[in-house]
Amino acid sequence: MAHLLVVESWVGSMSRLLPRALAEAGHHFTFLTRDLHHYLRPAPEGTAHPLLTARNVVTAPTNDVEALLPQVERLHGALGFDGVITSCDYYLPTSARIAALLGLPGPSPESMENACRKDATRRVLAAAGVPGPRFAVCADGAEAAVAARDIGYPLVVKPVDLCAGMFVRRVDGAEQLAAACEALAGFPRNARGQRRAPHILLEEFLDGPEVSVETVTRRGVAHVVGVTDKSIGGAPAFVETGHMFPAALTPDDLAAATRTAVDAGAALGLDDVVAHTEIKLTADGPRVVEVNPRPAGNRITELVRHVTGIDLAAACVDVALGREPDLRRRDTGLRSAAIGFLVPGTAGTLASVEGADGVRGADGVLEVQVAEAGRTVEAADSNNAYLGHIMAGDAAGLGARARVETLLADVRPLLVRS
C-alpha cells in the first residue's frame, strides 16, 4: 500500500477514474486543493465526490507554487508521500515540482512546463525536427495580424495555456483573426483562477484526419498502447464529437503516427508519464497537434480499457510511484469501442433528452449518460459543453463508431429558448 499526494484534479471522468484506480490497487491518498467547493458542485445530491474519499483533504495555495512548496514539504514530513499525481493540466508542472522537491518519482519539471505550454512545445519540437505546422507566437492582435500574412490563411488561433479546445478557432481572414484575438484577450484567468499568459499562438491549418496516440513512458522507454481516432465539429471551433479505439488506420499511417508521437515525447524529455499525443495525418505526413502529458480525457481511457484491458489511470498511478505499469493486453471480447457526444448547436435551457432510455439496453451499449433537465445550455464552442454521451463496443471488428452514430441519431436534446 502506498500513500499518494493528489494535487487538484479535473472534475470530469478522470476525477472518478483516478480514485478508483487508487482504491483497486490498495493505495490511499491525500487530496490537496485550494477550493474544495470546486469538487462539491459536480457531485450528485446526497453523494460524495470520489476525490473526497481521501484519507486527508488539505486546503493549500495550489496556484502559488512558491508558497505551496514549503507547506507540502512539511506535509511530507508529517504524512509521508510515496508519489505525487494530478489529472489536471493546470497542475501538472506543479506536481512535477513537488515530486522533484521531495525526491519522488516523476517527469522533470522542465519537461512538464514545456509540454503544458503550447508555445514552448512548438519551439522544442521544431528545434528537434519533429514535424508540426508552421507557427508564430504573438504578444497581441497587432503582432498576430502581421504573422498571419506570413503563415497565410486559413490558420488556427490558440491560447498557449488553456485546455479542452477553449478559444481554439479556425480563421480565414483578418476580421476573424481580430475577433478571435479579442475574445482570447477577454479571458485573463482560467477556470482555476490562474492568470493566463497573454500570448497568442498562430498555426498553419492542417488538413486531414486527427488521431491520438496513447503512450506510457517508463525509464526512458515509450510503450505505445494504441491509437484513437477523433471526429471534430463545431466549426470554426474544434469540438471533439466522438472517438473510436483502435483507430481504423492503414499499417503505414499507424506506424507514422506512433513514431511521430514517440519522437515528440522524447524531444520534450517526457519520462515516467502517461501521455496523449494528438496527430494530424496530412497529405505531407503526420504533424503534431499537441502533446498532453497525462491520460486522455473524454473517456478515451475507458475505450482503451474495454478493448485491451489496460487501465491507463492505474498506469498513471504506477509510474507516479516509480513502478512498472501493467500493460499486458487481455481478451475483453471487444475489438473496438467508441464514444459519441451530445453536442448542443443552440442555446437555451435543457428540458429533456428524448430517446436516452431507449438506447440504454441496446446491443453493444457500454455507457449512456445525459445531462439533467434545467441545465443552461450554450452552443458548443469547446469540449466543456457536452450534454451527455453514448459508448458502445463491437465484438466483431471496427464497427463501434458506426454503432454509436446510429444510436446517437435516436437521441435528441430538447431545449427551451431562453
Side-chain angles (χ1 to χ4, degrees):
M1 176 183 287
H3 183 193
L4 287 96
L5 178 64
V6 177
V7 183
E8 303 286 6
S9 168
W10 289 123
V11 293
S13 63
M14 193 52 63
S15 71
R16 291 160 171 76
L17 295 175
L18 199 56
R20 183 190 75 186
L22 289 164
E24 289 179 352
H27 304 318
H28 58 271
F29 67 100
T30 289
F31 183 50
L32 198 67
T33 178
R34 63 182 286 272
D35 180 11
L36 185 58
H37 292 284
H38 191 81
Y39 302 93
L40 297 175
R41 290 193 296 270
E45 186 175 352
T47 67
H49 193 286
L51 286 167
L52 303 185
T53 62
R55 174 167 291 187
N56 312 287
V57 177
V58 179
T59 301
T62 53
N63 285 355
D64 184 346
V65 178
E66 300 310 320
L68 176 65
L69 291 178
Q71 293 190 28
V72 169
E73 200 166 22
R74 290 192 295 272
L75 276 176
H76 180 54
L79 301 175
F81 302 121
D82 302 297
V84 185
I85 198 169
T86 184
S87 66
C88 182
D89 300 55
Y90 299 141
Y91 298 97
L92 288 166
T94 300
S95 295
R97 288 274 304 272
I98 293 171
L101 174 71
L102 303 183
L104 298 175
S108 72
E110 181 184 13
S111 70
M112 296 302 269
E113 290 280 359
N114 286 336
C116 292
R117 279 283 299 251
K118 296 177 176 64
D119 52 343
T121 298
R122 284 280 168 248
R123 293 187 180 108
V124 171
L125 297 189
V130 179
R134 291 180 295 128
F135 71 96
V137 181
C138 307
D140 53 31
E143 281 192 15
V146 174
R149 291 195 289 270
D150 180 53
I151 298 174
Y153 294 101
L155 50 76
V156 178
V157 177
K158 290 182 177 180
V160 299
D161 54 1
L162 288 175
C163 308
M166 292 182 67
F167 293 95
V168 179
R169 298 290 183 271
R170 170 178 167 151
V171 299
D172 294 286
E175 187 174 335
Q176 292 179 352
L177 174 61
C181 292
E182 183 179 357
L184 190 52
F187 194 73
R189 292 182 181 272
N190 65 26
R192 299 307 182 91
Q194 296 168 328
R195 182 165 291 281
R196 294 191 46 257
H199 304 89
I200 300 163
L201 180 61
L202 299 190
E203 295 179 352
E204 167 193 11
F205 177 77
L206 299 173
D207 194 18
E210 187 171 334
V211 298
S212 63
V213 182
E214 323 306 336
T215 56
V216 181
T217 303
R218 166 82 174 123
R219 291 185 175 176
V221 178
H223 304 272
V224 177
V225 175
V227 179
T228 312
D229 78 4
K230 185 191 306 274
S231 56
I232 302 291
F238 295 83
V239 180
E240 297 176 3
T241 59
H243 304 277
M244 184 175 78
F245 183 90
L249 297 179
T250 67
D252 286 347
D253 281 343
L254 180 65
T258 55
R259 183 174 59 251
T260 302
V262 170
D263 288 347
L268 288 162
L270 291 172
D271 198 4
D272 291 327
V273 71
V274 177
H276 166 75
T277 303
E278 297 171 345
I279 305 283
K280 275 272 193 174
L281 301 174
T282 76
D284 297 320
R287 298 290 184 268
V288 175
V289 177
E290 288 183 7
V291 179
N292 300 284
R294 41 78 179 160
N298 273 354
R299 297 193 73 70
I300 290 173
T301 56
E302 289 300 275
L303 300 182
V304 172
R305 186 177 64 84
H306 280 300
V307 175
T308 69
I310 296 171
D311 186 341
L312 288 173
C316 191
V317 171
D318 284 334
V319 296
L321 291 169
R323 301 177 180 180
E324 291 295 331
D326 183 359
L327 302 179
R328 293 172 298 171
R329 291 176 176 264
R330 299 165 177 80
D331 183 4
T332 66
L334 292 180
R335 295 282 303 281
S336 65
I339 189 168
F341 299 100
L342 292 172
V343 181
T346 59
T349 301
L350 183 64
S352 63
V353 179
E354 287 193 337
D357 289 340
V359 303
R360 291 185 191 278
D363 184 48
V365 168
L366 300 169
E367 294 179 8
V368 177
Q369 180 179 316
V370 297
E372 295 183 359
R375 171 174 166 176
T376 300
V377 177
E378 299 292 338
D381 60 4
S382 74
N383 300 339
N384 294 324
Y386 301 138
L387 296 179
H389 67 259
I390 297 173
M391 185 187 294
D394 179 22
L398 300 178
R401 174 182 285 283
R403 181 62 178 145
V404 164
E405 290 174 349
T406 298
L407 293 166
L408 274 175
D410 294 328
V411 178
R412 185 165 66 98
L414 296 182
L415 301 181
V416 178
R417 296 281 180 164
S418 301

